[in-house]
Amino acid sequence: MTQVLFYLMPPVESPAKAKVDSPVVTANANPAICEMHLLACQLAQQAFVKQQWVYIHCQDKQQAHAIDELLWQFEPSAFVPHNLKGEGPMTGSPVEIGFDRLGANKSRQVLINLADQAPPFAVNFGHIIDFVANDDQHKAVARERYRQYRGLGVNLQTQDLATHPLN
């Protein structure tokens, strides 16, 4: 059965805490979303280390390119082989980034969802990672995704990163 883990993002104390040199951070960017994107990339890196193949599903082309750039900014010792969907080697990279309704080009174990909706192909993955950004507007969107996943009959769990941070 597909497992969905929602990470409840902790409060962001100030925009200065976000990585200002990140392509997902702009002068008008929501710091909570910037932190969520950084965590998504870190989780993709952890999955890669565990030899799990990952698909990062984005809301749109702009977000997909921003996540691609953010993954390139990791330290060389934490390099994550990745590509945008439709690019890269024929056999695929361990991490694929896309935004269409079709999903990954090949079978993968982990889906990291950054889109506003639960993707229709979500049940094709054994493990789904999703996020609840710490602002009211994005919490409402995440609640709707939670309902969508529940309608798909998957097992749902949450982890509050403010009280139970990642190891």
Side-chain angles (χ1 to χ4, degrees):
M1 173 181 251
T2 300
Q3 305 283 324
V4 180
L5 176 56
F6 270 89
Y7 285 107
L8 308 177
M9 299 299 293
V12 177
E13 295 173 18
S14 71
K17 290 193 82 168
K19 297 204 178 296
V20 283
D21 59 339
S22 164
V24 293
V25 178
T26 65
N28 299 323
N30 180 330
I33 299 302
C34 297
E35 291 294 323
M36 186 177 73
H37 289 173
L38 182 59
L39 177 60
C41 291
Q42 291 169 337
L43 291 168
Q45 193 270 337
Q46 289 176 4
F48 165 67
V49 168
K50 294 177 185 174
Q51 299 182 349
Q52 295 175 322
W53 285 61
V54 177
Y55 181 71
I56 301 176
H57 181 63
C58 297
Q59 180 67 23
D60 53 32
K61 183 177 182 178
Q62 180 182 357
Q63 185 184 49
H65 282 276
I67 295 298
D68 177 53
E69 286 300 317
L70 186 57
L71 281 168
W72 281 115
Q73 293 180 16
F74 276 39
E75 294 181 31
S77 63
F79 175 70
V80 179
H82 66 282
N83 61 267
L84 292 165
K85 184 176 177 182
E87 298 178 359
M90 291 296 284
T91 57
S93 293
V95 175
E96 184 177 50
I97 306 161
F99 57 92
D100 64 23
R101 295 186 47 81
L102 301 176
N105 279 335
K106 66 182 285 183
S107 180
R108 294 173 182 273
Q109 294 96 351
V110 179
L111 167 65
I112 298 176
N113 185 33
L114 295 173
D116 290 343
Q117 303 290 317
F121 52 82
V123 294
N124 297 336
F125 294 82
H127 185 71
I128 301 169
I129 297 171
D130 210 313
F131 306 90
V132 180
N134 198 330
D135 70 30
D136 291 337
Q137 175 188 359
H138 291 95
K139 283 181 183 177
V141 174
R143 284 186 193 102
E144 179 57 30
R145 276 196 316 278
Y146 191 94
R147 283 190 283 277
Q148 292 168 358
Y149 287 125
R150 189 174 48 212
L152 294 173
V154 299
N155 184 16
L156 293 154
Q157 297 178 341
T158 60
Q159 179 176 340
D160 187 343
L161 294 174
T163 57
H164 295 91
L166 294 177
N167 294 333

